[in-house]
Amino acid sequence: MSEQVLQQLLSDLKERLRITWNEEDEYLKKLIQRSETYLSELTNASFDFSKEEWPKDILLERCRYVYNNATDEFEKNFQHELSRLILHVAIGKVGVIRGGETVSGDVQ
């Protein structure tokens, strides 16, 4: 993930969490990177979070759950969305399966 995309995700996450201070920025960046790894390992794909809004929303929601010490509830509460994400990766609507060459369009 590029630094520019990471900064945009940080800004989006802080807005979602209603954080106006900068003291936790490094921690939040680590949350974003760990959540990216989580989604990548779950789907065996990589995502362009600057173009794909739906995977980006799932990433930010996972960060929100982790930040609020509710990680164990994330998969239960987002089971439908995660299953749908895995399916859409498999049929090529989002993400790029590792080793692939192109990024598919965003899911509406």
Side-chain angles (χ1 to χ4, degrees):
M1 172 182 317
S2 73
E3 186 62 30
Q4 181 180 1
V5 172
L6 182 59
Q7 286 299 325
Q8 183 58 51
L9 288 171
L10 175 63
S11 175
D12 293 343
L13 180 59
K14 288 175 74 172
E15 181 179 323
R16 187 166 292 206
L17 295 173
R18 299 194 186 345
I19 293 176
T20 57
W21 54 91
N22 298 323
E23 289 78 13
E24 293 185 279
D25 284 4
E26 290 306 310
Y27 173 69
L28 294 174
K29 285 180 184 180
K30 288 178 185 176
L31 285 183
I32 292 166
Q33 291 167 331
R34 286 197 314 255
S35 293
E36 176 190 27
T37 299
Y38 168 83
L39 288 179
S40 180
E41 289 177 359
L42 181 71
T43 61
N44 194 34
S46 60
F47 302 96
D48 183 348
F49 296 109
S50 66
K51 295 179 183 175
E52 297 179 292
E53 289 296 320
W54 184 53
K56 176 181 165 183
D57 282 340
I58 294 173
L59 173 102
L60 293 174
E61 283 301 312
R62 184 172 189 281
C63 290
R64 183 174 66 87
Y65 272 71
V66 173
Y67 183 80
N68 289 301
N69 297 317
T71 308
D72 55 329
E73 296 292 317
F74 176 75
E75 282 190 14
K76 182 172 61 172
N77 292 343
F78 281 83
Q79 180 179 5
H80 176 74
E81 290 83 356
L82 293 172
S83 296
R84 187 171 160 223
L85 180 64
I86 292 167
L87 175 65
H88 282 278
V89 166
I91 62 176
K93 286 193 172 183
V94 296
V96 175
I97 295 177
R98 290 185 186 154
E101 305 235 349
T102 60
V103 174
S104 300
D106 194 11
V107 174
Q108 299 298 326

